[in-house]
Amino acid sequence: MKFLVIILLGITLYGNTSDTYAWDSTAAKYMPLQVGNVWVYNCSAIGMACNCTMIYRYKIISSLVINSKMYFIFQQNSFTGNCWNGCVSSTIYDSLRVDSINGNVYKYSAVGCSNTPFEKLQDSLNARQGDTVKNNCGISQYRYICNDTSNQIIFGVSRKTKVFSETQFETGYGRGYADGIGIVSSGYGSIVCSNNSTLKGCVINGILYGDTSTVVGINQISSEIPDKFELSQNYPNPFNPTTHIGFRIAKFGLVKLIIYDVLGKEIQILVNEQLQPGSYEADWDASAYSSGVYYYKLESGSYMESKKMLMVK
């Protein structure tokens, strides 16, 4: 029987919060925890027992102090592409904290482990290459090890990474982190199914990296073919922190809906997909951004139109 080895690519994180647990520490930068941060992953599962493509979106929606420890609460949304079995999210986003003293990533648990009541150790971001980590209460007979600390090019920038994996009999799993970014890859595999997630894009402390758009984030209001392309004024306007943007597509083709700041800098892509003719509505969550004037632009073929909106917190 063969052993399955999962090798995950990692990237670096940067974090800044008001938490009292020294979030400017080196280890904490691999897991930037701040309300409003968003991560979007492409997931694929291939094998004899699975076939799936899916998009996962994670957003930190709040923080909560439990037992004098601050945890950040994640909201998960999944969007199915083509799927039968497989494609189970193997990231750890839930209710997390990073301990500034030992660099450990903990997940809140109603029970926890014998040495960590009410929480479970997931990864140790202070780990060096070759170090082993007693994660998930250390119930596995196999070693969970930090097997790579090299640099990787992530979103065009060379970043420090930490990659953790465990190779079991005919199975394996692991995660990869990047400095200033967070988890960039994760996976689980067996001889009948290989399940891998890779980071598509993220918004970290108000800065956009990669592509966070998802076609499933669009609601098609009508399939009736419009006479012309049209971009509607967002509503509500002013808004805080979410707003809705309606648009009409008169011809099949690539459609882009992009958000810009007042200086004309592209900050988020809401839509970047081939769309059928019809009327649509997209939502923009601006909780990661500051108050002010923003612009949104719709492009499809030779058509281009932009409008102004105001976010007031």
Side-chain angles (χ1 to χ4, degrees), residues 225-261:
I225 299 177
D227 295 331
K228 61 180 181 179
F229 288 89
E230 184 178 354
L231 178 63
S232 301
Q233 185 63 49
N234 67 299
Y235 72 94
N237 188 40
F239 64 96
N240 177 30
T242 59
T243 189
H244 312 284
I245 301 172
F247 57 94
R248 305 175 75 189
I249 302 301
K251 184 179 179 180
F252 174 78
L254 178 64
V255 177
K256 293 183 179 181
L257 181 60
I258 304 173
I259 308 296
Y260 298 88
D261 65 16

Side-chain angles (χ1 to χ4, degrees), residues 105-123 133-142 144 166 173 175:
V105 180
Y106 291 99
K107 178 179 178 179
Y108 176 75
S109 171
V111 178
C113 306
S114 59
N115 61 328
T116 56
F118 303 108
E119 60 184 8
K120 293 183 178 182
L121 172 64
Q122 300 296 306
D123 297 303
V133 181
K134 190 177 181 180
N135 70 329
N136 289 320
C137 301
I139 58 177
S140 175
Q141 60 177 307
Y142 300 95
Y144 187 62
E166 180 174 303
Y173 71 96
R175 283 183 289 270

Side-chain angles (χ1 to χ4, degrees), residues 167-244:
T167 303
Q168 302 178 1
F169 183 68
E170 298 180 349
T171 63
Y173 71 96
R175 283 183 289 270
Y177 293 81
D179 186 15
I181 299 295
I183 297 175
V184 293
S185 58
S186 63
Y188 173 83
S190 68
I191 60 174
V192 295
C193 184
S194 178
N195 179 349
N196 293 284
S197 296
T198 56
L199 185 65
K200 176 184 179 185
C202 57
V203 178
I204 305 297
N205 303 338
I207 301 176
L208 172 67
Y209 300 91
D211 180 9
T212 59
S213 66
T214 59
V215 68
V216 290
I218 308 168
N219 297 317
Q220 184 169 6
I221 300 172
S222 172
S223 58
E224 181 180 353
I225 299 177
D227 295 331
K228 61 180 181 179
F229 288 89
E230 184 178 354
L231 178 63
S232 301
Q233 185 63 49
N234 67 299
Y235 72 94
N237 188 40
F239 64 96
N240 177 30
T242 59
T243 189
H244 312 284

Side-chain angles (χ1 to χ4, degrees), residues 1 38 46 69 72 75 77 93 119 146 168 176 179 241-242 249 270 289 301 306:
M1 305 297 286
V38 176
I46 302 174
K69 299 172 182 177
F72 289 83
Q75 179 186 67
N77 299 104
Y93 296 138
E119 60 184 8
C146 178
Q168 302 178 1
D179 186 15
T242 59
I249 302 301
L270 295 185
Y289 302 94
S306 62

